[in-house]
Amino acid sequence: MVAINVKQKNETREALRFRVGDVDVRVECDMQEVRDDFRALYAGYGAPPDSNGDDVTVQVVPASQRRWRAPRYHVFSGLEQIGPDVRLNEILPMVEWGLNYGVIARRGEFFQIHAAAMSLGDQGVIFPADSGSGKTTLCAALLVDGWRYLSDEFALIHPRTLRVHPYPKALCVKHGAFEVLRQLGLPLVGGKHFVKGLKGQVGYVNPRNVRPDAVCEVCPVRFVVLPCHVAGAPARLLSMTREQAAYELLRNSPNRSAFGDQALRIAADLVAGAECFSLRSGAIEETRKLLRGLVEA
């Protein structure tokens, strides 16, 4: 991470502000194309009425240019540069990464779990997992099946109520899942592809484009399900002990150290009120039928 001074940060004048669930975000960028892309990602999301200084802020600043190469840009989350300089088609994924980084840094009142979170009825389900587990594709399939969306990145758990709060960012889908999205009838926002580091091509789905009520409010956690995508395998749920599930929640929490000894209590209390499973997901249609049957049983 590279610090920048306040003067440099204030040079970017254009700003977009959205309320993404319980998180206020601000993107500062002078390039019309990037602003248009970001507006499309969050079309239908309201803006906070006033700024109280708690916005998660990301800024895009042109880097020093050289004649022999395409223009590059710095992306900052708060006062720190994240990642390397990026090309134009890499800006949007880096901005999204910067927003996630800002949530970790600025929303420490929540016990944060790297997880997807969905609900069906009043039944909240969190899917803690490492990157590459297929949780975003699973979210997209469940959205089409009538579930409501909280996040494909963080389950934000209130440490006292143990309810999950929404951070319904646009779904970031990797190239390998584009065909699944086509089969589900979910177009990428703007029909565009972007480049996200080593992950290669990605596209985005605005959950409010699926249906107007797609985003969920605060809800209790009734199930903890650890997903693992195995191509071609039959979908299968296996019971987990609450001790195993609590361990996975702690392992996937980026801010557990900030809670000290309370982190274990929060994880233990969360799973005490939930049913816990591991999920081997194969064909997406079979998987979403299996999960609906679990929640509605």
Side-chain angles (χ1 to χ4, degrees):
M1 300 299 174
V2 179
I4 61 172
N5 59 47
V6 175
K7 180 179 179 181
Q8 182 183 9
K9 184 177 187 298
N10 288 338
E11 286 176 356
T12 299
R13 295 178 298 277
E14 299 289 343
L16 300 174
R17 296 183 68 235
F18 296 91
R19 184 156 180 80
V20 183
D22 280 3
V23 179
D24 296 343
V25 305
R26 178 185 180 93
V27 175
E28 299 178 357
C29 180
D30 283 338
M31 284 170 290
Q32 186 67 43
E33 181 177 349
V34 176
R35 295 200 304 272
D36 289 346
D37 287 338
F38 197 79
R39 285 192 185 98
L41 257 59
Y42 292 100
Y45 288 69
D50 297 297
S51 177
N52 58 9
D54 288 336
D55 292 357
V56 172
T57 299
V58 174
Q59 185 189 45
V60 181
V61 178
S64 298
Q65 306 301 329
R66 299 179 183 176
R67 291 183 180 179
W68 52 267
R69 72 174 191 177
R72 300 292 207 278
Y73 303 88
H74 304 309
V75 177
F76 297 94
S77 184
L79 296 178
E80 295 181 312
Q81 182 177 351
I82 58 168
D85 296 345
V86 294
R87 298 176 177 86
L88 182 63
N89 68 343
E90 298 172 320
I91 290 176
L92 198 64
M94 191 65 78
V95 167
E96 288 282 291
W97 181 23
L99 293 175
N100 294 336
Y101 181 83
V103 169
I104 294 172
R106 296 185 61 85
R107 301 309 302 268
E109 74 271 27
F110 292 113
F111 183 69
Q112 303 162 359
I113 302 170
H114 184 227
M118 304 288 293
S119 72
L120 185 62
D122 62 350
Q123 311 280 354
V125 185
I126 61 175
F127 299 92
D130 298 325
S131 297
S133 64
K135 59 184 184 298
T136 297
T137 307
L138 180 59
C139 283
L142 295 180
L143 268 174
V144 171
D145 197 36
W147 294 56
R148 300 184 72 196
Y149 178 66
L150 289 123
S151 186
D152 72 338
E153 189 69 32
F154 292 123
L156 300 178
I157 306 297
H158 191 287
R160 181 175 55 81
T161 67
L162 301 179
R163 289 175 174 259
V164 56
H165 287 240
Y167 174 49
K169 57 176 286 293
L171 286 79
C172 180
V173 183
K174 299 172 190 171
H175 179 267
F178 287 176
E179 176 59 23
V180 175
L181 260 63
R182 188 193 65 78
Q183 294 172 7
L184 292 170
L186 290 180
L188 299 177
V189 171
K192 286 188 172 184
H193 300 164
F194 303 89
V195 176
K196 186 175 184 178
L198 297 177
K199 294 182 179 180
Q201 281 193 339
V202 298
Y204 290 91
V205 173
N206 180 336
R208 294 184 187 275
N209 288 345
V210 179
R211 61 180 191 280
D213 68 341
V215 173
C216 184
E217 302 298 328
V218 178
C219 72
V221 177
R222 301 303 185 202
F223 298 89
V224 176
V225 178
L226 274 69
C228 177
H229 178 72
V230 181
R236 188 178 180 188
L237 281 165
L238 296 173
S239 294
M240 291 186 66
T241 67
R242 287 186 168 87
E243 291 78 10
Q244 288 175 310
Y247 169 79
E248 291 296 333
L249 296 182
L250 290 169
R251 188 178 69 82
N252 283 284
S253 172
N255 72 336
R256 63 184 180 276
S257 61
F259 283 88
D261 294 340
Q262 291 300 306
L264 179 58
R265 176 197 60 80
I266 295 167
D269 289 348
L270 188 62
V271 299
E275 297 181 53
C276 306
F277 298 88
S278 63
L279 167 68
R280 182 177 65 183
S281 61
I284 200 67
E285 181 64 25
E286 183 183 11
T287 300
R288 65 182 183 177
K289 285 181 179 179
L290 183 65
L291 288 170
R292 177 174 282 275
L294 171 70
V295 176
E296 292 182 339

